[in-house]
Amino acid sequence: MKSIAYQKPGQIEETRYEKIHNVVFPSDKEGSIAVAQEIADLIRRKQEAGEYAVLGLATGSSPIKVYDELIRLHREEGLSFKNVITFNLDEYYPMSPDDVNSYHYFMYQYLFNHIDIDPKNVHIPEGNIPLSKVLEYTKQYEEKIRKAGGLDFQLLGIGRSGHIGFNEPGSHINSRTRLVTLHHITRVDAAPAFHGLNNVPRKAITMGIATIMQAKRIVLLAWSKKKADIVKRTIEGDISSDVPATYLQKHDNTTFVLDEEAASKLTRIDTPWIVKDVKWTDEMSRKAVVWLSEKTGLPILKLTDNEYNENYLSDLISYQGSAYDLNIKIFNQLQHTITGWPGGKPHADDTFRPERAHPIKKRVLIFSPHPDDDVISMGGTLDRLVEQGHDVHVAYQVAGYSAVSDEEALKFLEVNKHLGLSHTKINELLEELQIQNREQDSAELRKLKAGIRRAEATAALRFLGVKEENIYFLDLPFYDAPEFHKRKISPVDIRIVQNLVENIKPHQIFAAGDLADPHGTHQLAFEILMKVLENIKKKAFAKHLYVWLYRGAWDEFDIHEIDMAVPMSPDQVLKKRHAIFYHQSQKDLVMYKGDDIREFWMRAEERNKKLAEKYNALGLAEYEAMEAFKRYYF
Ligand code: F6R
């Protein structure tokens, strides 16, 4: 396994922009196992010396797999926690320890209930002490850490605000454990767990920067594309209280453990030609030329040797011959990605087209994780596929009830009440809606909310001309786990998707290859599809199957990654907007929009227009908007 042992930054040329040591793993699982291993080694070393290991622990989504692995090491490899003392970084304020959203609850649920730690060695800031006692309490917390001999190891996550613990922008390097006010982004990120922003506490008690910096060893975890910007800023930017995590640049035993997505914006990974020799594959050359064109503001065909030489790309032109040849080659590649025929153009020469001309009428299966990703992400393309005569099927993978607000459910219940339908059930549901902070909606309420989304999705597809018998609501069971963190795919999920694929035997599958959605639903939906493709790849129909990935509402592909770009006319943009409007429960008061307050149709439109502008700025034709796809080879 890759070592995460600390190395002083600045020693390796390729990392010259990086001021914090970091190790990149293919996935969060592998990274978490390496971190758990380091913690286990520390605990065992201390055991042998008859000492306590003092651990600083974090909550949130980042450390969950580290805790899973520690539990596994305890159960299967006899790792004991009898000699472990823990101090948690933070707790919301005010917050009762038995609240399901408290960090107390989290720590017992994800770690302490499953290991042999002595409860008196566990310390988590208390969120329910009176305000007048907080100052005294925080001093005592510091004192307890000091008396335990200081932190041997501190585990951290990083917030998109750049916070560590709950040390938000503006925190001082000398800060100690104290009461703080949470940043808006932090509250937005916590909103889903609290069923809405208004329920998220405004304050928290957190260890200070100085408290954290005194730890002998610090490991910060960051997973997923959502963290890529803040990771780059923290590792490559200057130290600033605006991004408190940058203080870690001063700590000489800190390692960031990242997955590939979180590391994707580091210079050595995003624009590697700046820091090292690269292998000029087609995709890498395309990436470099698009980058150069965007950086210089020149269309591709106007780039000269000068621009290449002045921007670390002399190697690329010497490899390709000349700027002139390279420009034309890349320009043509991009030109060939554009097509108004996403299902292939009948009777046309398809040598340079993204899709085959034949069969003329294709069976198309569109997978949509939630019951609206289809129209948001590829409404224009879906419309074209139907209009161009293909047999279009749409499958919604999860029920999507979590994103239906109580207000919306109430509206529908009232309609039903008005119609006089089954009074007892309606009254029970009306009562349930009165309960604030419910742990999970009852099965009936979820069914109602899911029903709302089904009706909306069906209406949108009817508007686009998809036949009702071609619409499938798969209601994959992984979505039903009571907490987002606990969602795991099972063979049942895979079977359901595989049955559908085997029944339809599609020529084309469109699916969300989008890894940045807030709850990981898209990621799990994608993993299920990958497994299904693996299972069916030897079947005869799979030989003729093209898989196209689209990105969801949160993200877009980079130009160099795009294999098919489908332009839209102004009228098609409007039609797509109408299709999105059918998803009324996702309008206005959408529950999980993240920190972007625009409605989904606005985001989709802006993103599609931006993509068209980007193509145009590279020197390609000017379109109103575009949707993008990447081919997935299996
Ligand atoms: C949690 C904590 C926070 C989180 C950070 C990232 O104890 O102190 O700093 O580590 O907000 O949260 P996730 O891991 O949920 O992205």
Side-chain angles (χ1 to χ4, degrees):
M1 191 196 306
K2 204 185 271 187
S3 163
I4 59 166
Y6 177 73
Q7 281 173 24
K8 212 173 174 47
Q11 309 301 303
I12 305 167
E13 175 57 8
E14 119 177 32
T15 61
R16 72 170 186 269
Y17 284 88
E18 299 172 13
K19 299 158 189 164
I20 295 179
H21 173 234
N22 61 84
V23 184
V24 183
F25 285 85
S27 75
D28 58 344
K29 175 124 198 249
E30 280 138 305
S32 298
I33 290 175
V35 174
Q37 198 53 55
E38 182 177 317
I39 296 174
D41 290 347
L42 168 72
I43 296 174
R44 290 199 173 109
R45 240 186 5 258
K46 290 281 185 178
Q47 256 156 22
E48 278 160 22
E51 292 171 7
Y52 277 99
V54 185
L55 307 181
L57 298 180
T59 53
S61 60
S62 308
I64 291 176
K65 291 200 170 97
V66 174
Y67 297 153
D68 283 350
E69 176 65 7
L70 287 174
I71 294 169
R72 195 197 64 77
L73 288 170
H74 170 67
R75 286 188 181 149
E76 294 174 20
E77 296 185 21
L79 176 67
S80 168
F81 290 77
K82 287 266 186 252
N83 70 321
V84 173
I85 300 178
T86 64
F87 288 91
N88 260 81
L89 280 165
D90 40 22
E91 177 60 283
Y92 291 110
Y93 185 89
M95 179 58 73
S96 140
D98 352 289
D99 190 304
V100 285
N101 287 313
S102 75
Y103 284 170
H104 275 78
Y105 188 92
F106 178 102
M107 285 310 298
Y108 279 90
Q109 190 187 20
Y110 284 104
L111 183 63
F112 298 145
N113 284 342
H114 315 283
I115 56 174
D116 63 345
I117 193 164
D118 184 345
K120 71 173 190 306
N121 290 337
V122 167
H123 306 86
I124 306 172
E126 284 170 31
N128 58 350
I129 38 172
L131 194 55
S132 57
K133 303 239 164 79
V134 169
L135 187 62
E136 188 47 36
Y137 176 80
T138 52
K139 279 190 190 150
Q140 286 165 5
Y141 201 73
E142 288 278 330
E143 189 52 24
K144 281 186 193 153
I145 299 176
R146 203 188 55 77
K147 277 205 180 127
L151 301 165
D152 293 309
F153 181 102
Q154 176 65 58
L155 189 62
L156 294 177
I158 183 167
R160 287 190 304 144
S161 64
H163 72 209
I164 44 174
F166 275 141
N167 294 283
E168 298 286 18
S171 295
H172 198 279
I173 191 164
N174 294 334
S175 57
R176 290 278 169 189
T177 304
R178 67 201 187 289
L179 184 67
V180 295
T181 301
L182 297 176
H183 195 278
H184 178 65
I185 289 195
T186 303
R187 294 187 62 241
V188 165
D189 281 348
F194 283 86
H195 294 284
L197 188 60
N198 288 341
N199 306 326
V200 183
R202 285 168 197 282
K203 292 195 180 283
I205 293 179
T206 180
M207 280 187 200
I209 299 286
T211 328
I212 295 170
M213 294 288 279
Q214 271 178 351
K216 296 174 191 87
R217 166 80 166 139
I218 297 177
V219 171
L220 183 145
L221 313 170
W223 320 123
S224 90
K225 202 153 186 183
K226 256 177 40 178
K227 300 285 170 80
D229 283 321
I230 197 65
V231 162
K232 178 185 169 74
R233 169 73 183 84
T234 303
I235 293 181
E236 297 190 357
D238 291 332
I239 297 178
S240 154
S241 66
D242 290 347
V243 182
T246 55
Y247 291 130
L248 296 171
Q249 292 180 14
K250 286 179 178 263
H251 188 275
D252 62 8
N253 194 8
T254 289
T255 299
F256 280 20
V257 176
L258 312 170
D259 65 4
E260 283 170 4
E261 297 275 326
S264 62
K265 297 214 169 143
L266 293 177
T267 302
R268 117 181 99 105
I269 293 166
D270 194 27
T271 49
W273 48 85
I274 294 183
V275 288
K276 62 176 179 186
D277 290 341
V278 300
K279 201 165 161 255
W280 290 112
T281 58
D282 257 9
E283 184 164 336
M284 187 67 91
S285 310
R286 219 163 40 233
K287 184 174 188 185
V289 174
V290 170
W291 170 81
L292 184 64
S293 163
E294 286 173 350
K295 185 165 189 277
T296 56
L298 291 170
I300 292 174
L301 296 177
K302 285 193 181 173
L303 293 170
T304 66
D305 284 12
N306 246 347
E307 276 84 41
Y308 283 93
N309 289 332
E310 282 168 11
N311 290 287
Y312 312 93
L313 289 170
S314 49
D315 182 44
L316 174 60
I317 34 174
S318 68
Y319 172 78
Q320 292 284 347
S322 70
Y324 182 80
D325 291 337
L326 176 61
N327 292 347
I328 290 181
K329 179 174 155 190
I330 303 294
F331 181 88
N332 284 338
Q333 281 182 7
L334 294 176
Q335 178 69 50
H336 294 147
T337 63
I338 303 174
T339 180
W341 299 86
K345 185 169 184 183
H347 314 297
D349 174 3
D350 56 10
T351 324
F352 295 114
R353 290 181 174 273
E355 252 303 344
R356 302 142 291 171
H358 295 278
I360 291 177
K361 183 172 166 174
K362 294 191 174 66
R363 281 187 302 279
V364 181
L365 174 56
I366 297 173
F367 280 108
S368 174
H370 299 95
D372 61 355
D373 295 305
D374 53 343
V375 284
I376 291 174
S377 303
M378 53 170 295
T381 305
L382 203 165
D383 181 41
R384 287 210 178 217
L385 288 165
V386 174
E387 283 197 344
Q388 291 168 357
H390 300 287
D391 180 22
V392 178
H393 300 250
V394 182
Y396 297 103
Q397 284 152 294
V398 306
Y401 47 70
S402 324
V404 177
S405 69
D406 286 355
E407 289 84 350
E408 201 66 23
L410 184 61
K411 193 165 87 185
F412 281 81
L413 273 179
E414 281 170 347
V415 172
N416 272 308
K417 198 175 174 187
H418 185 69
L419 294 174
L421 297 176
S422 86
H423 260 293
T424 2
K425 193 78 300 143
I426 288 179
N427 285 337
E428 269 171 39
L429 290 175
L430 286 170
E431 269 169 38
E432 182 175 349
L433 288 179
Q434 298 293 319
I435 308 169
Q436 301 272 312
N437 282 339
R438 299 186 299 279
E439 249 179 59
Q440 196 191 17
D441 289 348
S442 67
E444 281 81 10
L445 188 52
R446 277 183 275 148
K447 205 165 154 201
L448 171 78
K449 291 183 172 181
I452 294 171
R453 300 209 67 180
R454 277 186 179 214
E456 291 171 348
T458 308
L461 289 187
R462 202 179 292 131
F463 169 71
L464 291 178
V466 177
K467 293 190 211 130
E468 216 146 321
E469 66 266 26
N470 283 3
I471 307 174
Y472 312 85
F473 294 95
L474 304 182
D475 290 346
L476 296 180
F478 80 81
Y479 186 71
D480 296 325
E483 283 159 55
F484 300 134
H485 295 321
K486 294 227 164 125
R487 288 180 179 162
K488 285 208 171 75
I489 52 183
S490 76
V492 186
D493 298 302
I494 296 170
R495 181 71 358 244
I496 295 174
V497 173
Q498 190 163 332
N499 282 347
L500 184 72
V501 173
E502 286 177 345
N503 278 341
I504 296 178
K505 299 191 177 47
H507 302 99
Q508 288 190 310
I509 283 183
F510 287 84
D514 152 279
L515 309 175
D517 81 308
H519 299 156
T521 307
H522 287 214
Q523 193 164 347
L524 292 175
F526 183 54
E527 277 172 33
I528 294 169
L529 180 64
M530 284 196 297
K531 292 216 162 82
V532 169
L533 292 173
E534 194 51 39
N535 293 346
I536 59 148
K537 76 176 179 205
K538 299 236 161 64
K539 309 227 162 180
F541 77 91
K543 306 246 165 342
H544 309 286
L545 168 62
Y546 277 29
V547 177
W548 294 102
L549 302 181
Y550 60 82
R551 285 265 156 105
W554 288 270
D555 204 13
E556 182 58 279
F557 292 114
D558 288 335
I559 298 258
H560 71 273
E561 299 174 304
I562 295 172
D563 293 312
M564 176 159 72
V566 181
M568 286 185 279
S569 69
D571 284 343
Q572 284 166 327
V573 171
L574 272 184
K575 192 164 177 196
K576 170 170 174 170
R577 187 192 296 178
H578 278 130
I580 298 175
F581 279 173
Y582 280 92
H583 295 274
Q584 283 189 7
S585 69
Q586 304 304 298
K587 269 179 62 58
D588 302 324
L589 292 168
V590 176
M591 295 176 71
Y592 304 130
K593 269 202 298 206
D595 54 334
D596 185 340
I597 54 155
R598 291 168 306 161
E599 288 188 19
F600 283 124
W601 68 270
M602 291 167 154
R603 284 199 236 180
E605 246 167 59
E606 198 169 305
R607 173 177 137 196
N608 296 158
K609 285 193 177 170
K610 216 153 126 200
L611 183 63
E613 279 161 21
K614 275 194 182 174
Y615 263 83
N616 187 224
L618 294 170
L620 293 132
E622 183 175 354
Y623 291 100
E624 177 72 6
M626 276 176 162
E627 289 174 345
F629 303 89
K630 182 171 174 57
R631 174 112 183 250
Y632 177 75
Y633 294 88
F634 61 100

